[in-house]
Amino acid sequence: MTRVVVTGGGTGIGRAAARLFALDGAEVVIVGRRAGVLEEVAAGLRPATVRTVVADLAETAGAERVLAALPDGPVDVFVNNAGGVDRAKQPGLAGYAESFRRTLDTNLFSAAVLTEALWPRLARPGARVVNVSSVAARRGGADGYTAAKAGMIGWSQGLARKGGPDGILVNTVAPGYVEDTEFFDPSGRSVRHDALVADTLLGRAGVPGDIASVIHFLASPGAAWITGQVFDINGGSVLGR
Ligand SMILES: NC(=O)c1ccc[n+]([C@@H]2O[C@H](COP(=O)([O-])OP(=O)(O)OC[C@H]3O[C@@H](n4cnc5c(N)ncnc54)[C@H](OP(=O)(O)O)[C@@H]3O)[C@@H](O)[C@H]2O)c1
């Protein structure tokens, strides 16, 4: 049975991706900090085999927990999706520094350390790694979130180079504004909703399934010659080159 690990699989984009893989009949391992949220997703996907791992991936111990919770056998698909902005920023230089570091830990360190932990477990050949960056990396921004998501692109390309000889394919998706997630607010929407929608060429916000379907494709046989790439999925809010 195909085994898929999705971080941040309890909500938003990660939940939508976990659902697509579960519908394929894969064993899906979803990771996040809130047990209740993960359990609810797992219950909703039954009879699919969905395992939940409660772990804070901003800590090295979180990666160790995921590794310890995995049954024997290879990981076929690994989606580094957990992340988000820091809502607890304090004023002053110390507040800026703390928030910047926390944001790097949540978005970049988390992906890098868990990938390092799982790397020996990835299926050879054939494993697919999909990293979730952001349109922020394309637009630029003087903040920790943009730095983390831009850093993720270079890191991901290096991973693709490292994995190529073993048949491990690594790609990145860079979503634009996606509603029905907890990214901006538990309500699922940004306070800048109208402006963000107006930025798109298609006149609507993205929904988690818009991103999940590309992640799913990148894990499919049809994507067997795609590695080291970045996929901008943003309704045309930032044009590709
Ligand atoms: N929504 C957008 O407009 C948008 C745009 C561009 C990029 N993205 C990226 O897309 C990815 C998914 O976000 P989303 O939009 O689906 O928002 P979301 O609903 O907030 O999902 C983020 C998930 O990551 C988990 N998570 C956060 N910090 C974690 C940590 N330290 N350890 C383990 N899990 C953690 C959260 O679960 P817990 O809180 O339970 O841990 C949550 O399930 C993120 O990387 C985000 O940066 C989103």
Side-chain angles (χ1 to χ4, degrees), residues 111-148:
V113 173
L114 185 55
T115 303
E116 183 69 14
L118 294 189
W119 195 260
R121 298 286 304 271
L122 296 179
R124 287 165 166 76
R128 308 294 173 89
V129 179
V130 183
N131 298 318
V132 180
S133 175
S134 169
V135 70
R138 298 306 208 187
R139 285 188 190 284
D143 55 79
Y145 181 73
T146 304

PDB file of all heavy atoms in Angstrom, residues 111-148:
ATOM      1  N   ALA A 111      10.350  21.749   7.958  1.00  0.00           N
ATOM      2  CA  ALA A 111      10.407  20.925   6.746  1.00  0.00           C
ATOM      3  C   ALA A 111      11.789  20.281   6.599  1.00  0.00           C
ATOM      4  O   ALA A 111      11.900  19.096   6.269  1.00  0.00           O
ATOM      5  CB  ALA A 111      10.088  21.785   5.524  1.00  0.00           C
ATOM      6  N   ALA A 112      12.835  21.074   6.857  1.00  0.00           N
ATOM      7  CA  ALA A 112      14.197  20.566   6.647  1.00  0.00           C
ATOM      8  C   ALA A 112      14.511  19.421   7.600  1.00  0.00           C
ATOM      9  O   ALA A 112      15.062  18.385   7.195  1.00  0.00           O
ATOM     10  CB  ALA A 112      15.201  21.706   6.821  1.00  0.00           C
ATOM     11  N   VAL A 113      14.160  19.587   8.866  1.00  0.00           N
ATOM     12  CA  VAL A 113      14.544  18.572   9.858  1.00  0.00           C
ATOM     13  C   VAL A 113      13.725  17.289   9.677  1.00  0.00           C
ATOM     14  O   VAL A 113      14.265  16.182   9.753  1.00  0.00           O
ATOM     15  CB  VAL A 113      14.435  19.143  11.291  1.00  0.00           C
ATOM     16  CG1 VAL A 113      14.654  18.056  12.334  1.00  0.00           C
ATOM     17  CG2 VAL A 113      15.476  20.249  11.461  1.00  0.00           C
ATOM     18  N   LEU A 114      12.427  17.445   9.382  1.00  0.00           N
ATOM     19  CA  LEU A 114      11.629  16.227   9.161  1.00  0.00           C
ATOM     20  C   LEU A 114      12.084  15.511   7.880  1.00  0.00           C
ATOM     21  O   LEU A 114      12.132  14.281   7.827  1.00  0.00           O
ATOM     22  CB  LEU A 114      10.131  16.554   9.116  1.00  0.00           C
ATOM     23  CG  LEU A 114       9.223  15.331   9.001  1.00  0.00           C
ATOM     24  CD1 LEU A 114       9.484  14.315  10.121  1.00  0.00           C
ATOM     25  CD2 LEU A 114       7.753  15.729   8.984  1.00  0.00           C
ATOM     26  N   THR A 115      12.448  16.288   6.870  1.00  0.00           N
ATOM     27  CA  THR A 115      12.936  15.657   5.632  1.00  0.00           C
ATOM     28  C   THR A 115      14.236  14.897   5.891  1.00  0.00           C
ATOM     29  O   THR A 115      14.420  13.771   5.412  1.00  0.00           O
ATOM     30  CB  THR A 115      13.134  16.722   4.538  1.00  0.00           C
ATOM     31  OG1 THR A 115      11.893  17.398   4.334  1.00  0.00           O
ATOM     32  CG2 THR A 115      13.591  16.104   3.226  1.00  0.00           C
ATOM     33  N   GLU A 116      15.114  15.504   6.676  1.00  0.00           N
ATOM     34  CA  GLU A 116      16.375  14.832   7.018  1.00  0.00           C
ATOM     35  C   GLU A 116      16.081  13.521   7.763  1.00  0.00           C
ATOM     36  O   GLU A 116      16.706  12.495   7.495  1.00  0.00           O
ATOM     37  CB  GLU A 116      17.226  15.773   7.886  1.00  0.00           C
ATOM     38  CG  GLU A 116      18.599  15.260   8.257  1.00  0.00           C
ATOM     39  CD  GLU A 116      19.565  15.174   7.078  1.00  0.00           C
ATOM     40  OE1 GLU A 116      19.285  15.747   6.010  1.00  0.00           O
ATOM     41  OE2 GLU A 116      20.611  14.498   7.232  1.00  0.00           O
ATOM     42  N   ALA A 117      15.091  13.589   8.671  1.00  0.00           N
ATOM     43  CA  ALA A 117      14.744  12.387   9.457  1.00  0.00           C
ATOM     44  C   ALA A 117      14.147  11.294   8.567  1.00  0.00           C
ATOM     45  O   ALA A 117      14.442  10.106   8.737  1.00  0.00           O
ATOM     46  CB  ALA A 117      13.750  12.767  10.553  1.00  0.00           C
ATOM     47  N   LEU A 118      13.308  11.696   7.614  1.00  0.00           N
ATOM     48  CA  LEU A 118      12.602  10.698   6.791  1.00  0.00           C
ATOM     49  C   LEU A 118      13.398  10.258   5.561  1.00  0.00           C
ATOM     50  O   LEU A 118      13.031   9.265   4.924  1.00  0.00           O
ATOM     51  CB  LEU A 118      11.246  11.257   6.331  1.00  0.00           C
ATOM     52  CG  LEU A 118      10.188  11.514   7.411  1.00  0.00           C
ATOM     53  CD1 LEU A 118       8.844  11.839   6.769  1.00  0.00           C
ATOM     54  CD2 LEU A 118      10.031  10.312   8.336  1.00  0.00           C
ATOM     55  N   TRP A 119      14.433  11.003   5.220  1.00  0.00           N
ATOM     56  CA  TRP A 119      15.152  10.733   3.966  1.00  0.00           C
ATOM     57  C   TRP A 119      15.537   9.255   3.803  1.00  0.00           C
ATOM     58  O   TRP A 119      15.297   8.651   2.745  1.00  0.00           O
ATOM     59  CB  TRP A 119      16.374  11.653   3.846  1.00  0.00           C
ATOM     60  CG  TRP A 119      16.954  11.698   2.473  1.00  0.00           C
ATOM     61  CD1 TRP A 119      18.053  11.023   2.010  1.00  0.00           C
ATOM     62  CD2 TRP A 119      16.446  12.462   1.356  1.00  0.00           C
ATOM     63  NE1 TRP A 119      18.269  11.319   0.686  1.00  0.00           N
ATOM     64  CE2 TRP A 119      17.311  12.197   0.257  1.00  0.00           C
ATOM     65  CE3 TRP A 119      15.371  13.316   1.175  1.00  0.00           C
ATOM     66  CZ2 TRP A 119      17.113  12.771  -1.004  1.00  0.00           C
ATOM     67  CZ3 TRP A 119      15.173  13.895  -0.077  1.00  0.00           C
ATOM     68  CH2 TRP A 119      16.037  13.617  -1.143  1.00  0.00           C
ATOM     69  N   PRO A 120      16.110   8.621   4.837  1.00  0.00           N
ATOM     70  CA  PRO A 120      16.482   7.205   4.657  1.00  0.00           C
ATOM     71  C   PRO A 120      15.276   6.296   4.446  1.00  0.00           C
ATOM     72  O   PRO A 120      15.418   5.186   3.947  1.00  0.00           O
ATOM     73  CB  PRO A 120      17.180   6.852   5.990  1.00  0.00           C
ATOM     74  CG  PRO A 120      17.509   8.157   6.630  1.00  0.00           C
ATOM     75  CD  PRO A 120      16.475   9.137   6.152  1.00  0.00           C
ATOM     76  N   ARG A 121      14.099   6.776   4.832  1.00  0.00           N
ATOM     77  CA  ARG A 121      12.883   5.962   4.724  1.00  0.00           C
ATOM     78  C   ARG A 121      12.154   6.153   3.391  1.00  0.00           C
ATOM     79  O   ARG A 121      11.161   5.468   3.119  1.00  0.00           O
ATOM     80  CB  ARG A 121      11.913   6.316   5.864  1.00  0.00           C
ATOM     81  CG  ARG A 121      12.431   6.045   7.266  1.00  0.00           C
ATOM     82  CD  ARG A 121      12.443   4.558   7.575  1.00  0.00           C
ATOM     83  NE  ARG A 121      11.131   3.955   7.386  1.00  0.00           N
ATOM     84  CZ  ARG A 121      10.190   3.873   8.330  1.00  0.00           C
ATOM     85  NH1 ARG A 121      10.433   4.331   9.527  1.00  0.00           N
ATOM     86  NH2 ARG A 121       9.027   3.310   8.073  1.00  0.00           N
ATOM     87  N   LEU A 122      12.605   7.110   2.563  1.00  0.00           N
ATOM     88  CA  LEU A 122      11.890   7.379   1.311  1.00  0.00           C
ATOM     89  C   LEU A 122      12.106   6.237   0.320  1.00  0.00           C
ATOM     90  O   LEU A 122      13.210   5.687   0.213  1.00  0.00           O
ATOM     91  CB  LEU A 122      12.362   8.702   0.700  1.00  0.00           C
ATOM     92  CG  LEU A 122      12.058   9.957   1.534  1.00  0.00           C
ATOM     93  CD1 LEU A 122      12.595  11.212   0.828  1.00  0.00           C
ATOM     94  CD2 LEU A 122      10.556  10.102   1.794  1.00  0.00           C
ATOM     95  N   ALA A 123      11.056   5.902  -0.424  1.00  0.00           N
ATOM     96  CA  ALA A 123      11.116   4.808  -1.396  1.00  0.00           C
ATOM     97  C   ALA A 123      12.155   5.121  -2.465  1.00  0.00           C
ATOM     98  O   ALA A 123      12.208   6.235  -2.990  1.00  0.00           O
ATOM     99  CB  ALA A 123       9.743   4.628  -2.041  1.00  0.00           C
ATOM    100  N   ARG A 124      12.984   4.125  -2.767  1.00  0.00           N
ATOM    101  CA  ARG A 124      14.035   4.293  -3.781  1.00  0.00           C
ATOM    102  C   ARG A 124      13.919   3.143  -4.770  1.00  0.00           C
ATOM    103  O   ARG A 124      14.108   1.997  -4.353  1.00  0.00           O
ATOM    104  CB  ARG A 124      15.426   4.254  -3.135  1.00  0.00           C
ATOM    105  CG  ARG A 124      15.751   5.490  -2.340  1.00  0.00           C
ATOM    106  CD  ARG A 124      16.942   5.214  -1.451  1.00  0.00           C
ATOM    107  NE  ARG A 124      17.509   6.429  -0.895  1.00  0.00           N
ATOM    108  CZ  ARG A 124      16.984   7.112   0.106  1.00  0.00           C
ATOM    109  NH1 ARG A 124      15.859   6.711   0.675  1.00  0.00           N
ATOM    110  NH2 ARG A 124      17.586   8.202   0.547  1.00  0.00           N
ATOM    111  N   PRO A 125      13.660   3.374  -6.075  1.00  0.00           N
ATOM    112  CA  PRO A 125      13.357   4.693  -6.617  1.00  0.00           C
ATOM    113  C   PRO A 125      11.870   5.000  -6.450  1.00  0.00           C
ATOM    114  O   PRO A 125      11.092   4.109  -6.092  1.00  0.00           O
ATOM    115  CB  PRO A 125      13.694   4.526  -8.109  1.00  0.00           C
ATOM    116  CG  PRO A 125      13.342   3.082  -8.383  1.00  0.00           C
ATOM    117  CD  PRO A 125      13.678   2.330  -7.115  1.00  0.00           C
ATOM    118  N   GLY A 126      11.496   6.230  -6.707  1.00  0.00           N
ATOM    119  CA  GLY A 126      10.085   6.552  -6.893  1.00  0.00           C
ATOM    120  C   GLY A 126       9.458   7.493  -5.891  1.00  0.00           C
ATOM    121  O   GLY A 126       8.346   7.952  -6.117  1.00  0.00           O
ATOM    122  N   ALA A 127      10.124   7.750  -4.758  1.00  0.00           N
ATOM    123  CA  ALA A 127       9.477   8.620  -3.771  1.00  0.00           C
ATOM    124  C   ALA A 127       9.260  10.020  -4.342  1.00  0.00           C
ATOM    125  O   ALA A 127      10.030  10.492  -5.181  1.00  0.00           O
ATOM    126  CB  ALA A 127      10.322   8.712  -2.503  1.00  0.00           C
ATOM    127  N   ARG A 128       8.187  10.631  -3.888  1.00  0.00           N
ATOM    128  CA  ARG A 128       7.879  12.007  -4.286  1.00  0.00           C
ATOM    129  C   ARG A 128       7.843  12.868  -3.035  1.00  0.00           C
ATOM    130  O   ARG A 128       7.142  12.530  -2.065  1.00  0.00           O
ATOM    131  CB  ARG A 128       6.520  12.086  -4.987  1.00  0.00           C
ATOM    132  CG  ARG A 128       6.357  11.108  -6.149  1.00  0.00           C
ATOM    133  CD  ARG A 128       7.303  11.424  -7.304  1.00  0.00           C
ATOM    134  NE  ARG A 128       7.239  10.376  -8.308  1.00  0.00           N
ATOM    135  CZ  ARG A 128       6.374  10.378  -9.326  1.00  0.00           C
ATOM    136  NH1 ARG A 128       5.515  11.366  -9.467  1.00  0.00           N
ATOM    137  NH2 ARG A 128       6.378   9.398 -10.203  1.00  0.00           N
ATOM    138  N   VAL A 129       8.559  13.965  -3.081  1.00  0.00           N
ATOM    139  CA  VAL A 129       8.504  14.960  -2.005  1.00  0.00           C
ATOM    140  C   VAL A 129       7.923  16.228  -2.600  1.00  0.00           C
ATOM    141  O   VAL A 129       8.373  16.682  -3.663  1.00  0.00           O
ATOM    142  CB  VAL A 129       9.920  15.243  -1.435  1.00  0.00           C
ATOM    143  CG1 VAL A 129       9.852  16.293  -0.326  1.00  0.00           C
ATOM    144  CG2 VAL A 129      10.564  13.954  -0.923  1.00  0.00           C
ATOM    145  N   VAL A 130       6.899  16.771  -1.942  1.00  0.00           N
ATOM    146  CA  VAL A 130       6.318  18.035  -2.394  1.00  0.00           C
ATOM    147  C   VAL A 130       6.380  19.024  -1.235  1.00  0.00           C
ATOM    148  O   VAL A 130       5.873  18.746  -0.138  1.00  0.00           O
ATOM    149  CB  VAL A 130       4.856  17.867  -2.863  1.00  0.00           C
ATOM    150  CG1 VAL A 130       4.328  19.200  -3.387  1.00  0.00           C
ATOM    151  CG2 VAL A 130       4.740  16.788  -3.941  1.00  0.00           C
ATOM    152  N   ASN A 131       7.023  20.147  -1.464  1.00  0.00           N
ATOM    153  CA  ASN A 131       7.177  21.178  -0.445  1.00  0.00           C
ATOM    154  C   ASN A 131       6.248  22.345  -0.751  1.00  0.00           C
ATOM    155  O   ASN A 131       6.117  22.753  -1.908  1.00  0.00           O
ATOM    156  CB  ASN A 131       8.634  21.651  -0.422  1.00  0.00           C
ATOM    157  CG  ASN A 131       9.577  20.512  -0.062  1.00  0.00           C
ATOM    158  OD1 ASN A 131       9.287  19.726   0.835  1.00  0.00           O
ATOM    159  ND2 ASN A 131      10.682  20.393  -0.782  1.00  0.00           N
ATOM    160  N   VAL A 132       5.603  22.864   0.293  1.00  0.00           N
ATOM    161  CA  VAL A 132       4.631  23.933   0.087  1.00  0.00           C
ATOM    162  C   VAL A 132       5.273  25.266   0.483  1.00  0.00           C
ATOM    163  O   VAL A 132       5.514  25.546   1.651  1.00  0.00           O
ATOM    164  CB  VAL A 132       3.336  23.674   0.875  1.00  0.00           C
ATOM    165  CG1 VAL A 132       2.336  24.818   0.636  1.00  0.00           C
ATOM    166  CG2 VAL A 132       2.723  22.331   0.467  1.00  0.00           C
ATOM    167  N   SER A 133       5.551  26.066  -0.532  1.00  0.00           N
ATOM    168  CA  SER A 133       6.107  27.410  -0.341  1.00  0.00           C
ATOM    169  C   SER A 133       4.950  28.405  -0.387  1.00  0.00           C
ATOM    170  O   SER A 133       3.870  28.133   0.150  1.00  0.00           O
ATOM    171  CB  SER A 133       7.159  27.671  -1.425  1.00  0.00           C
ATOM    172  OG  SER A 133       7.643  28.989  -1.366  1.00  0.00           O
ATOM    173  N   SER A 134       5.138  29.531  -1.046  1.00  0.00           N
ATOM    174  CA  SER A 134       4.082  30.559  -1.082  1.00  0.00           C
ATOM    175  C   SER A 134       4.356  31.559  -2.187  1.00  0.00           C
ATOM    176  O   SER A 134       5.507  31.804  -2.565  1.00  0.00           O
ATOM    177  CB  SER A 134       4.049  31.311   0.248  1.00  0.00           C
ATOM    178  OG  SER A 134       3.235  32.459   0.147  1.00  0.00           O
ATOM    179  N   VAL A 135       3.275  32.189  -2.636  1.00  0.00           N
ATOM    180  CA  VAL A 135       3.400  33.317  -3.555  1.00  0.00           C
ATOM    181  C   VAL A 135       4.251  34.425  -2.929  1.00  0.00           C
ATOM    182  O   VAL A 135       4.851  35.231  -3.650  1.00  0.00           O
ATOM    183  CB  VAL A 135       1.988  33.840  -3.937  1.00  0.00           C
ATOM    184  CG1 VAL A 135       1.317  34.523  -2.749  1.00  0.00           C
ATOM    185  CG2 VAL A 135       2.013  34.770  -5.130  1.00  0.00           C
ATOM    186  N   ALA A 136       4.333  34.429  -1.599  1.00  0.00           N
ATOM    187  CA  ALA A 136       5.158  35.438  -0.924  1.00  0.00           C
ATOM    188  C   ALA A 136       6.599  35.366  -1.419  1.00  0.00           C
ATOM    189  O   ALA A 136       7.279  36.395  -1.556  1.00  0.00           O
ATOM    190  CB  ALA A 136       5.106  35.240   0.592  1.00  0.00           C
ATOM    191  N   ALA A 137       7.066  34.156  -1.710  1.00  0.00           N
ATOM    192  CA  ALA A 137       8.442  33.992  -2.194  1.00  0.00           C
ATOM    193  C   ALA A 137       8.615  34.608  -3.569  1.00  0.00           C
ATOM    194  O   ALA A 137       9.725  34.990  -3.958  1.00  0.00           O
ATOM    195  CB  ALA A 137       8.803  32.506  -2.228  1.00  0.00           C
ATOM    196  N   ARG A 138       7.539  34.697  -4.335  1.00  0.00           N
ATOM    197  CA  ARG A 138       7.584  35.286  -5.677  1.00  0.00           C
ATOM    198  C   ARG A 138       7.452  36.796  -5.622  1.00  0.00           C
ATOM    199  O   ARG A 138       8.074  37.518  -6.391  1.00  0.00           O
ATOM    200  CB  ARG A 138       6.450  34.716  -6.541  1.00  0.00           C
ATOM    201  CG  ARG A 138       6.528  33.217  -6.750  1.00  0.00           C
ATOM    202  CD  ARG A 138       7.860  32.808  -7.299  1.00  0.00           C
ATOM    203  NE  ARG A 138       7.784  31.586  -8.093  1.00  0.00           N
ATOM    204  CZ  ARG A 138       8.847  30.966  -8.561  1.00  0.00           C
ATOM    205  NH1 ARG A 138      10.059  31.431  -8.309  1.00  0.00           N
ATOM    206  NH2 ARG A 138       8.724  29.870  -9.276  1.00  0.00           N
ATOM    207  N   ARG A 139       6.603  37.270  -4.683  1.00  0.00           N
ATOM    208  CA  ARG A 139       6.366  38.710  -4.576  1.00  0.00           C
ATOM    209  C   ARG A 139       7.499  39.426  -3.848  1.00  0.00           C
ATOM    210  O   ARG A 139       7.745  40.600  -4.059  1.00  0.00           O
ATOM    211  CB  ARG A 139       5.090  38.962  -3.760  1.00  0.00           C
ATOM    212  CG  ARG A 139       3.798  38.683  -4.469  1.00  0.00           C
ATOM    213  CD  ARG A 139       2.654  39.180  -3.571  1.00  0.00           C
ATOM    214  NE  ARG A 139       1.355  38.757  -4.034  1.00  0.00           N
ATOM    215  CZ  ARG A 139       0.717  39.301  -5.067  1.00  0.00           C
ATOM    216  NH1 ARG A 139       1.270  40.290  -5.726  1.00  0.00           N
ATOM    217  NH2 ARG A 139      -0.457  38.858  -5.430  1.00  0.00           N
ATOM    218  N   GLY A 140       8.125  38.728  -2.891  1.00  0.00           N
ATOM    219  CA  GLY A 140       9.095  39.365  -2.018  1.00  0.00           C
ATOM    220  C   GLY A 140       8.400  39.973  -0.822  1.00  0.00           C
ATOM    221  O   GLY A 140       7.228  40.349  -0.887  1.00  0.00           O
ATOM    222  N   GLY A 141       9.122  40.076   0.269  1.00  0.00           N
ATOM    223  CA  GLY A 141       8.562  40.632   1.497  1.00  0.00           C
ATOM    224  C   GLY A 141       9.641  40.640   2.556  1.00  0.00           C
ATOM    225  O   GLY A 141      10.401  39.675   2.672  1.00  0.00           O
ATOM    226  N   ALA A 142       9.732  41.753   3.309  1.00  0.00           N
ATOM    227  CA  ALA A 142      10.794  41.875   4.320  1.00  0.00           C
ATOM    228  C   ALA A 142      10.307  41.308   5.646  1.00  0.00           C
ATOM    229  O   ALA A 142      10.173  42.026   6.638  1.00  0.00           O
ATOM    230  CB  ALA A 142      11.198  43.335   4.461  1.00  0.00           C
ATOM    231  N   ASP A 143      10.023  40.031   5.649  1.00  0.00           N
ATOM    232  CA  ASP A 143       9.519  39.385   6.859  1.00  0.00           C
ATOM    233  C   ASP A 143       9.987  37.935   6.896  1.00  0.00           C
ATOM    234  O   ASP A 143      10.419  37.381   5.883  1.00  0.00           O
ATOM    235  CB  ASP A 143       7.974  39.458   6.884  1.00  0.00           C
ATOM    236  CG  ASP A 143       7.374  38.872   5.606  1.00  0.00           C
ATOM    237  OD1 ASP A 143       7.303  37.633   5.515  1.00  0.00           O
ATOM    238  OD2 ASP A 143       7.019  39.644   4.700  1.00  0.00           O
ATOM    239  N   GLY A 144       9.889  37.358   8.079  1.00  0.00           N
ATOM    240  CA  GLY A 144      10.373  35.991   8.266  1.00  0.00           C
ATOM    241  C   GLY A 144       9.622  34.981   7.411  1.00  0.00           C
ATOM    242  O   GLY A 144      10.217  34.011   6.925  1.00  0.00           O
ATOM    243  N   TYR A 145       8.343  35.190   7.232  1.00  0.00           N
ATOM    244  CA  TYR A 145       7.547  34.234   6.441  1.00  0.00           C
ATOM    245  C   TYR A 145       8.069  34.174   5.008  1.00  0.00           C
ATOM    246  O   TYR A 145       8.288  33.082   4.464  1.00  0.00           O
ATOM    247  CB  TYR A 145       6.063  34.641   6.478  1.00  0.00           C
ATOM    248  CG  TYR A 145       5.177  33.686   5.712  1.00  0.00           C
ATOM    249  CD1 TYR A 145       4.888  32.419   6.213  1.00  0.00           C
ATOM    250  CD2 TYR A 145       4.637  34.051   4.482  1.00  0.00           C
ATOM    251  CE1 TYR A 145       4.086  31.536   5.503  1.00  0.00           C
ATOM    252  CE2 TYR A 145       3.832  33.174   3.774  1.00  0.00           C
ATOM    253  CZ  TYR A 145       3.557  31.916   4.282  1.00  0.00           C
ATOM    254  OH  TYR A 145       2.764  31.047   3.572  1.00  0.00           O
ATOM    255  N   THR A 146       8.266  35.348   4.395  1.00  0.00           N
ATOM    256  CA  THR A 146       8.764  35.372   3.014  1.00  0.00           C
ATOM    257  C   THR A 146      10.160  34.755   2.943  1.00  0.00           C
ATOM    258  O   THR A 146      10.463  33.989   2.023  1.00  0.00           O
ATOM    259  CB  THR A 146       8.782  36.818   2.478  1.00  0.00           C
ATOM    260  OG1 THR A 146       7.470  37.358   2.608  1.00  0.00           O
ATOM    261  CG2 THR A 146       9.216  36.871   1.036  1.00  0.00           C
ATOM    262  N   ALA A 147      10.996  35.095   3.924  1.00  0.00           N
ATOM    263  CA  ALA A 147      12.353  34.530   3.934  1.00  0.00           C
ATOM    264  C   ALA A 147      12.291  33.007   4.008  1.00  0.00           C
ATOM    265  O   ALA A 147      13.031  32.301   3.309  1.00  0.00           O
ATOM    266  CB  ALA A 147      13.131  35.104   5.116  1.00  0.00           C
ATOM    267  N   ALA A 148      11.390  32.502   4.852  1.00  0.00           N
ATOM    268  CA  ALA A 148      11.279  31.050   5.001  1.00  0.00           C
ATOM    269  C   ALA A 148      10.790  30.401   3.711  1.00  0.00           C
ATOM    270  O   ALA A 148      11.334  29.385   3.263  1.00  0.00           O
ATOM    271  CB  ALA A 148      10.317  30.725   6.145  1.00  0.00           C
TER     272      ALA A 148
END
